Each structure stands twice: as C-alpha cells, then as structure tokens.
Amino acid sequence: MSDETGTGSGAAQDTERRVRVVLVDDHRMFRTGVQAEIGRTDVTGVEVVGEAADVDQAVTVITATRPEVVLLDVHLPGGGGVEVLRRCASLMAAAENPVRFLALSVSDAAEDVIGVIRGGARGYVTKTINGTDLVDSVFRVQEGDAVFSPRLAGFVLDAFASTDAPPVDEDLDRLTQREREVLRLIARGYAYKEIAKQLFISVKTVESHVSAVLRKLQLSNRHELTRWATARRLV
C-alpha cells in the first residue's frame, strides 16, 4: 500500500466517528502495514478488531467480532474472498448492524472484481491506495456507499451494464491463487520439477497442489486438467 500519506494518514477524519474493522489477508506483513497505517483509532477513527489469513479464520473472526467493515483480499487459502462472502451471506443480510465488505487486493482482473461484487462486497480498491483514501473508503462502505478505485469504477459500471460481463466461474473460485498458478503450468506441459523450480517450492508441494486441484475440480488426471484449463482459456 502506498505510503504517500506519511504520518498524516487519516488526520482529516472526524474522530467522533468510529468504525470496527477486520483485516483479511494472507500476508502478515501487509496486515501489519495496514494496521499501522489506518488502525490508530484516536487519529483515524478506525478500530481493527481482528485479523485473518485464510477463509476459515476469516469466517470465525468475522462471526465472533461482527465488525462493521471487513477489508477482504480476493486471493486467500481455502477458497478465496468469494468463499468468505458466501459463508458470511447471513451477516451481510442482517436487518440490524450488517457486516459490509470492501475488497482490498493487488489484482485488478475482471473476474476478481466481478466475482466479489456479485458475491456481495460493497466495493473494490487496489493496494496502491493511500492510507487517507483507504480510511475514507472504509467509512463510506460503513455508511452503505459503493466504493471503487478510480480506474475500476468505469469498468465495473460497464461490466454490469453489459450482457457480456464475465461470468463467475465457481469451479475456478474454489482454487487458491497458488493452485491456479500450478494449474496453468501443468496445462502448459511443465513437469513437476520445472514447476517447483519456477515457483520456488518443493516437488512434493507441487504434487500436493495438483492433487488438491484434481479433487476440487473432480478430475482424474493431468490430461483432463489440461483440457479443462484450455476450455477456459487459462493456458
């Protein structure tokens, strides 16, 4: 996340306002950075009440703390941000004190943006956002506004107005980001050793990811996997 705001992050906020936030991101250092940037409650009005690194942790923490806003990464172990949204649907739909979600991701891919918005997120901002703007976005989502990074706003409106909006691929959404990377390399004909070298992981880990992908997609072997990926133009 950009540090353009320096130590003045959120200083313009009305400190009488308060919002309780949960951070969901699988990178601990990034969560620490966001906490340091926006979590000084006396300055920003943002109180970070919980953190999570994967889907199961996220659902547990969100259910336990009932925050007003969740900052949600799109790619998470256990099924991704869309799975968190699916499992928290009742909290989003609550008549009183609904939990609202703001996607905060490095990705600006169409399928990611459309997927989480269709899943119920109130907005989508990229990790290039500065601290002041992120605080403002959190409060706007708390109030029920839809918030998008400037570069994504027009795209999202066009996508939802068009019949050509990219569909959500529920099968693909079941895969973690690392599983998708392995899937693409397998489909391109890479051997396990080559994948391990390229992704800086062990061959055993590659095998585990392939097994998980085959299980989640209900496929039998890498040849079926290749056909599956090719049909979806993932290669």
Side-chain angles (χ1 to χ4, degrees), residues 67-95:
E68 290 150 304
V69 177
V70 177
L71 286 174
L72 179 69
D73 193 11
V74 173
H75 299 300
L76 294 167
V82 170
E83 178 65 11
V84 176
L85 292 164
R86 186 186 69 79
R87 290 168 61 179
C88 291
S90 62
L91 298 179
M92 288 189 284

PDB file of all heavy atoms in Angstrom, residues 67-95:
ATOM      1  N   PRO A  67     -17.762  -7.104  12.891  1.00  0.00           N
ATOM      2  CA  PRO A  67     -17.296  -5.763  12.557  1.00  0.00           C
ATOM      3  C   PRO A  67     -18.279  -5.057  11.632  1.00  0.00           C
ATOM      4  O   PRO A  67     -19.162  -5.695  11.037  1.00  0.00           O
ATOM      5  CB  PRO A  67     -15.975  -6.035  11.829  1.00  0.00           C
ATOM      6  CG  PRO A  67     -16.221  -7.352  11.144  1.00  0.00           C
ATOM      7  CD  PRO A  67     -17.037  -8.147  12.131  1.00  0.00           C
ATOM      8  N   GLU A  68     -18.116  -3.770  11.492  1.00  0.00           N
ATOM      9  CA  GLU A  68     -18.946  -3.030  10.545  1.00  0.00           C
ATOM     10  C   GLU A  68     -18.420  -3.155   9.124  1.00  0.00           C
ATOM     11  O   GLU A  68     -19.198  -3.141   8.167  1.00  0.00           O
ATOM     12  CB  GLU A  68     -19.021  -1.566  10.979  1.00  0.00           C
ATOM     13  CG  GLU A  68     -19.832  -1.384  12.256  1.00  0.00           C
ATOM     14  CD  GLU A  68     -19.361  -0.209  13.078  1.00  0.00           C
ATOM     15  OE1 GLU A  68     -18.178  -0.144  13.428  1.00  0.00           O
ATOM     16  OE2 GLU A  68     -20.213   0.644  13.377  1.00  0.00           O
ATOM     17  N   VAL A  69     -17.090  -3.251   9.005  1.00  0.00           N
ATOM     18  CA  VAL A  69     -16.470  -3.376   7.683  1.00  0.00           C
ATOM     19  C   VAL A  69     -15.359  -4.420   7.728  1.00  0.00           C
ATOM     20  O   VAL A  69     -14.594  -4.468   8.693  1.00  0.00           O
ATOM     21  CB  VAL A  69     -15.879  -2.022   7.198  1.00  0.00           C
ATOM     22  CG1 VAL A  69     -15.185  -2.187   5.851  1.00  0.00           C
ATOM     23  CG2 VAL A  69     -16.976  -0.964   7.089  1.00  0.00           C
ATOM     24  N   VAL A  70     -15.299  -5.240   6.686  1.00  0.00           N
ATOM     25  CA  VAL A  70     -14.204  -6.196   6.515  1.00  0.00           C
ATOM     26  C   VAL A  70     -13.393  -5.787   5.296  1.00  0.00           C
ATOM     27  O   VAL A  70     -13.947  -5.602   4.203  1.00  0.00           O
ATOM     28  CB  VAL A  70     -14.736  -7.637   6.305  1.00  0.00           C
ATOM     29  CG1 VAL A  70     -13.572  -8.599   6.059  1.00  0.00           C
ATOM     30  CG2 VAL A  70     -15.564  -8.085   7.496  1.00  0.00           C
ATOM     31  N   LEU A  71     -12.086  -5.600   5.484  1.00  0.00           N
ATOM     32  CA  LEU A  71     -11.179  -5.390   4.360  1.00  0.00           C
ATOM     33  C   LEU A  71     -10.735  -6.771   3.897  1.00  0.00           C
ATOM     34  O   LEU A  71     -10.033  -7.484   4.619  1.00  0.00           O
ATOM     35  CB  LEU A  71      -9.980  -4.536   4.776  1.00  0.00           C
ATOM     36  CG  LEU A  71     -10.267  -3.046   4.975  1.00  0.00           C
ATOM     37  CD1 LEU A  71      -9.030  -2.331   5.519  1.00  0.00           C
ATOM     38  CD2 LEU A  71     -10.711  -2.401   3.666  1.00  0.00           C
ATOM     39  N   LEU A  72     -11.130  -7.155   2.695  1.00  0.00           N
ATOM     40  CA  LEU A  72     -11.027  -8.537   2.239  1.00  0.00           C
ATOM     41  C   LEU A  72     -10.139  -8.677   1.019  1.00  0.00           C
ATOM     42  O   LEU A  72     -10.405  -8.087  -0.030  1.00  0.00           O
ATOM     43  CB  LEU A  72     -12.435  -9.049   1.901  1.00  0.00           C
ATOM     44  CG  LEU A  72     -12.562 -10.469   1.370  1.00  0.00           C
ATOM     45  CD1 LEU A  72     -12.226 -11.482   2.456  1.00  0.00           C
ATOM     46  CD2 LEU A  72     -13.976 -10.706   0.829  1.00  0.00           C
ATOM     47  N   ASP A  73      -9.082  -9.479   1.160  1.00  0.00           N
ATOM     48  CA  ASP A  73      -8.264  -9.805  -0.011  1.00  0.00           C
ATOM     49  C   ASP A  73      -9.026 -10.795  -0.882  1.00  0.00           C
ATOM     50  O   ASP A  73      -9.837 -11.594  -0.392  1.00  0.00           O
ATOM     51  CB  ASP A  73      -6.931 -10.398   0.429  1.00  0.00           C
ATOM     52  CG  ASP A  73      -5.916 -10.452  -0.710  1.00  0.00           C
ATOM     53  OD1 ASP A  73      -6.175  -9.845  -1.771  1.00  0.00           O
ATOM     54  OD2 ASP A  73      -4.871 -11.102  -0.546  1.00  0.00           O
ATOM     55  N   VAL A  74      -8.783 -10.761  -2.172  1.00  0.00           N
ATOM     56  CA  VAL A  74      -9.505 -11.625  -3.109  1.00  0.00           C
ATOM     57  C   VAL A  74      -8.953 -13.044  -3.103  1.00  0.00           C
ATOM     58  O   VAL A  74      -9.700 -14.015  -3.132  1.00  0.00           O
ATOM     59  CB  VAL A  74      -9.441 -11.029  -4.530  1.00  0.00           C
ATOM     60  CG1 VAL A  74     -10.047 -11.998  -5.549  1.00  0.00           C
ATOM     61  CG2 VAL A  74     -10.168  -9.690  -4.576  1.00  0.00           C
ATOM     62  N   HIS A  75      -7.618 -13.167  -3.069  1.00  0.00           N
ATOM     63  CA  HIS A  75      -6.981 -14.477  -3.146  1.00  0.00           C
ATOM     64  C   HIS A  75      -6.546 -14.924  -1.758  1.00  0.00           C
ATOM     65  O   HIS A  75      -5.631 -14.345  -1.165  1.00  0.00           O
ATOM     66  CB  HIS A  75      -5.781 -14.422  -4.091  1.00  0.00           C
ATOM     67  CG  HIS A  75      -6.158 -14.036  -5.487  1.00  0.00           C
ATOM     68  ND1 HIS A  75      -7.027 -14.768  -6.248  1.00  0.00           N
ATOM     69  CD2 HIS A  75      -5.797 -12.970  -6.239  1.00  0.00           C
ATOM     70  CE1 HIS A  75      -7.183 -14.185  -7.422  1.00  0.00           C
ATOM     71  NE2 HIS A  75      -6.453 -13.085  -7.443  1.00  0.00           N
ATOM     72  N   LEU A  76      -7.238 -15.939  -1.244  1.00  0.00           N
ATOM     73  CA  LEU A  76      -6.965 -16.443   0.097  1.00  0.00           C
ATOM     74  C   LEU A  76      -6.917 -17.965   0.080  1.00  0.00           C
ATOM     75  O   LEU A  76      -7.668 -18.601  -0.675  1.00  0.00           O
ATOM     76  CB  LEU A  76      -8.084 -16.020   1.065  1.00  0.00           C
ATOM     77  CG  LEU A  76      -8.260 -14.545   1.376  1.00  0.00           C
ATOM     78  CD1 LEU A  76      -9.602 -14.351   2.085  1.00  0.00           C
ATOM     79  CD2 LEU A  76      -7.118 -14.052   2.244  1.00  0.00           C
ATOM     80  N   PRO A  77      -6.089 -18.568   0.921  1.00  0.00           N
ATOM     81  CA  PRO A  77      -6.134 -20.020   1.076  1.00  0.00           C
ATOM     82  C   PRO A  77      -7.504 -20.460   1.568  1.00  0.00           C
ATOM     83  O   PRO A  77      -8.101 -19.825   2.427  1.00  0.00           O
ATOM     84  CB  PRO A  77      -5.061 -20.288   2.148  1.00  0.00           C
ATOM     85  CG  PRO A  77      -4.142 -19.106   2.090  1.00  0.00           C
ATOM     86  CD  PRO A  77      -5.022 -17.938   1.739  1.00  0.00           C
ATOM     87  N   GLY A  78      -8.015 -21.517   0.970  1.00  0.00           N
ATOM     88  CA  GLY A  78      -9.291 -22.055   1.423  1.00  0.00           C
ATOM     89  C   GLY A  78     -10.481 -21.715   0.558  1.00  0.00           C
ATOM     90  O   GLY A  78     -11.612 -22.053   0.894  1.00  0.00           O
ATOM     91  N   GLY A  79     -10.241 -21.044  -0.576  1.00  0.00           N
ATOM     92  CA  GLY A  79     -11.362 -20.755  -1.472  1.00  0.00           C
ATOM     93  C   GLY A  79     -11.489 -19.319  -1.925  1.00  0.00           C
ATOM     94  O   GLY A  79     -12.338 -18.999  -2.755  1.00  0.00           O
ATOM     95  N   GLY A  80     -10.681 -18.408  -1.380  1.00  0.00           N
ATOM     96  CA  GLY A  80     -10.691 -17.030  -1.843  1.00  0.00           C
ATOM     97  C   GLY A  80     -11.750 -16.163  -1.183  1.00  0.00           C
ATOM     98  O   GLY A  80     -12.583 -16.624  -0.397  1.00  0.00           O
ATOM     99  N   GLY A  81     -11.707 -14.872  -1.523  1.00  0.00           N
ATOM    100  CA  GLY A  81     -12.633 -13.916  -0.943  1.00  0.00           C
ATOM    101  C   GLY A  81     -14.085 -14.235  -1.232  1.00  0.00           C
ATOM    102  O   GLY A  81     -14.965 -13.984  -0.406  1.00  0.00           O
ATOM    103  N   VAL A  82     -14.353 -14.793  -2.412  1.00  0.00           N
ATOM    104  CA  VAL A  82     -15.732 -15.137  -2.764  1.00  0.00           C
ATOM    105  C   VAL A  82     -16.308 -16.162  -1.787  1.00  0.00           C
ATOM    106  O   VAL A  82     -17.483 -16.091  -1.417  1.00  0.00           O
ATOM    107  CB  VAL A  82     -15.798 -15.671  -4.215  1.00  0.00           C
ATOM    108  CG1 VAL A  82     -17.176 -16.251  -4.518  1.00  0.00           C
ATOM    109  CG2 VAL A  82     -15.479 -14.560  -5.203  1.00  0.00           C
ATOM    110  N   GLU A  83     -15.480 -17.095  -1.332  1.00  0.00           N
ATOM    111  CA  GLU A  83     -15.947 -18.097  -0.380  1.00  0.00           C
ATOM    112  C   GLU A  83     -16.254 -17.462   0.976  1.00  0.00           C
ATOM    113  O   GLU A  83     -17.222 -17.836   1.647  1.00  0.00           O
ATOM    114  CB  GLU A  83     -14.901 -19.201  -0.221  1.00  0.00           C
ATOM    115  CG  GLU A  83     -15.254 -20.291   0.781  1.00  0.00           C
ATOM    116  CD  GLU A  83     -16.462 -21.132   0.391  1.00  0.00           C
ATOM    117  OE1 GLU A  83     -16.929 -21.013  -0.768  1.00  0.00           O
ATOM    118  OE2 GLU A  83     -16.936 -21.902   1.233  1.00  0.00           O
ATOM    119  N   VAL A  84     -15.434 -16.493   1.394  1.00  0.00           N
ATOM    120  CA  VAL A  84     -15.727 -15.768   2.642  1.00  0.00           C
ATOM    121  C   VAL A  84     -17.084 -15.073   2.531  1.00  0.00           C
ATOM    122  O   VAL A  84     -17.919 -15.141   3.437  1.00  0.00           O
ATOM    123  CB  VAL A  84     -14.626 -14.736   2.953  1.00  0.00           C
ATOM    124  CG1 VAL A  84     -14.999 -13.919   4.187  1.00  0.00           C
ATOM    125  CG2 VAL A  84     -13.281 -15.419   3.161  1.00  0.00           C
ATOM    126  N   LEU A  85     -17.311 -14.411   1.406  1.00  0.00           N
ATOM    127  CA  LEU A  85     -18.583 -13.719   1.195  1.00  0.00           C
ATOM    128  C   LEU A  85     -19.755 -14.707   1.231  1.00  0.00           C
ATOM    129  O   LEU A  85     -20.804 -14.424   1.826  1.00  0.00           O
ATOM    130  CB  LEU A  85     -18.555 -12.976  -0.140  1.00  0.00           C
ATOM    131  CG  LEU A  85     -17.600 -11.783  -0.211  1.00  0.00           C
ATOM    132  CD1 LEU A  85     -17.373 -11.378  -1.650  1.00  0.00           C
ATOM    133  CD2 LEU A  85     -18.143 -10.608   0.590  1.00  0.00           C
ATOM    134  N   ARG A  86     -19.579 -15.843   0.595  1.00  0.00           N
ATOM    135  CA  ARG A  86     -20.659 -16.838   0.564  1.00  0.00           C
ATOM    136  C   ARG A  86     -21.010 -17.306   1.972  1.00  0.00           C
ATOM    137  O   ARG A  86     -22.184 -17.401   2.333  1.00  0.00           O
ATOM    138  CB  ARG A  86     -20.240 -18.033  -0.297  1.00  0.00           C
ATOM    139  CG  ARG A  86     -21.350 -19.062  -0.502  1.00  0.00           C
ATOM    140  CD  ARG A  86     -20.845 -20.294  -1.223  1.00  0.00           C
ATOM    141  NE  ARG A  86     -19.938 -21.069  -0.396  1.00  0.00           N
ATOM    142  CZ  ARG A  86     -20.335 -21.901   0.564  1.00  0.00           C
ATOM    143  NH1 ARG A  86     -21.627 -22.051   0.831  1.00  0.00           N
ATOM    144  NH2 ARG A  86     -19.448 -22.585   1.265  1.00  0.00           N
ATOM    145  N   ARG A  87     -19.976 -17.554   2.772  1.00  0.00           N
ATOM    146  CA  ARG A  87     -20.211 -18.079   4.113  1.00  0.00           C
ATOM    147  C   ARG A  87     -20.655 -17.006   5.108  1.00  0.00           C
ATOM    148  O   ARG A  87     -21.130 -17.329   6.203  1.00  0.00           O
ATOM    149  CB  ARG A  87     -18.953 -18.811   4.595  1.00  0.00           C
ATOM    150  CG  ARG A  87     -18.723 -20.102   3.828  1.00  0.00           C
ATOM    151  CD  ARG A  87     -17.360 -20.715   4.060  1.00  0.00           C
ATOM    152  NE  ARG A  87     -17.124 -21.063   5.461  1.00  0.00           N
ATOM    153  CZ  ARG A  87     -16.003 -21.632   5.900  1.00  0.00           C
ATOM    154  NH1 ARG A  87     -15.028 -21.932   5.043  1.00  0.00           N
ATOM    155  NH2 ARG A  87     -15.856 -21.911   7.181  1.00  0.00           N
ATOM    156  N   CYS A  88     -20.503 -15.756   4.724  1.00  0.00           N
ATOM    157  CA  CYS A  88     -20.936 -14.656   5.593  1.00  0.00           C
ATOM    158  C   CYS A  88     -22.187 -13.965   5.053  1.00  0.00           C
ATOM    159  O   CYS A  88     -22.509 -12.846   5.477  1.00  0.00           O
ATOM    160  CB  CYS A  88     -19.812 -13.629   5.754  1.00  0.00           C
ATOM    161  SG  CYS A  88     -18.388 -14.214   6.698  1.00  0.00           S
ATOM    162  N   ALA A  89     -22.886 -14.629   4.143  1.00  0.00           N
ATOM    163  CA  ALA A  89     -24.048 -14.009   3.495  1.00  0.00           C
ATOM    164  C   ALA A  89     -25.102 -13.568   4.509  1.00  0.00           C
ATOM    165  O   ALA A  89     -25.706 -12.501   4.370  1.00  0.00           O
ATOM    166  CB  ALA A  89     -24.659 -14.984   2.489  1.00  0.00           C
ATOM    167  N   SER A  90     -25.330 -14.375   5.539  1.00  0.00           N
ATOM    168  CA  SER A  90     -26.349 -14.018   6.531  1.00  0.00           C
ATOM    169  C   SER A  90     -25.955 -12.782   7.327  1.00  0.00           C
ATOM    170  O   SER A  90     -26.812 -11.986   7.734  1.00  0.00           O
ATOM    171  CB  SER A  90     -26.609 -15.190   7.480  1.00  0.00           C
ATOM    172  OG  SER A  90     -25.431 -15.527   8.205  1.00  0.00           O
ATOM    173  N   LEU A  91     -24.657 -12.596   7.550  1.00  0.00           N
ATOM    174  CA  LEU A  91     -24.191 -11.411   8.279  1.00  0.00           C
ATOM    175  C   LEU A  91     -24.355 -10.157   7.418  1.00  0.00           C
ATOM    176  O   LEU A  91     -24.681  -9.082   7.931  1.00  0.00           O
ATOM    177  CB  LEU A  91     -22.723 -11.582   8.673  1.00  0.00           C
ATOM    178  CG  LEU A  91     -22.394 -12.748   9.602  1.00  0.00           C
ATOM    179  CD1 LEU A  91     -20.898 -12.798   9.884  1.00  0.00           C
ATOM    180  CD2 LEU A  91     -23.174 -12.637  10.910  1.00  0.00           C
ATOM    181  N   MET A  92     -24.135 -10.297   6.119  1.00  0.00           N
ATOM    182  CA  MET A  92     -24.315  -9.161   5.220  1.00  0.00           C
ATOM    183  C   MET A  92     -25.785  -8.777   5.114  1.00  0.00           C
ATOM    184  O   MET A  92     -26.122  -7.616   4.913  1.00  0.00           O
ATOM    185  CB  MET A  92     -23.766  -9.487   3.826  1.00  0.00           C
ATOM    186  CG  MET A  92     -22.261  -9.537   3.748  1.00  0.00           C
ATOM    187  SD  MET A  92     -21.673  -9.666   2.032  1.00  0.00           S
ATOM    188  CE  MET A  92     -22.026 -11.384   1.688  1.00  0.00           C
ATOM    189  N   ALA A  93     -26.657  -9.772   5.211  1.00  0.00           N
ATOM    190  CA  ALA A  93     -28.094  -9.540   5.017  1.00  0.00           C
ATOM    191  C   ALA A  93     -28.824  -9.177   6.307  1.00  0.00           C
ATOM    192  O   ALA A  93     -30.045  -8.968   6.288  1.00  0.00           O
ATOM    193  CB  ALA A  93     -28.726 -10.784   4.408  1.00  0.00           C
ATOM    194  N   ALA A  94     -28.106  -9.093   7.423  1.00  0.00           N
ATOM    195  CA  ALA A  94     -28.746  -8.807   8.712  1.00  0.00           C
ATOM    196  C   ALA A  94     -29.498  -7.475   8.665  1.00  0.00           C
ATOM    197  O   ALA A  94     -29.001  -6.485   8.120  1.00  0.00           O
ATOM    198  CB  ALA A  94     -27.704  -8.781   9.822  1.00  0.00           C
ATOM    199  N   ALA A  95     -30.687  -7.465   9.221  1.00  0.00           N
ATOM    200  CA  ALA A  95     -31.505  -6.253   9.218  1.00  0.00           C
ATOM    201  C   ALA A  95     -30.874  -5.152  10.065  1.00  0.00           C
ATOM    202  O   ALA A  95     -30.984  -3.967   9.751  1.00  0.00           O
ATOM    203  CB  ALA A  95     -32.910  -6.573   9.728  1.00  0.00           C
TER     204      ALA A  95
END
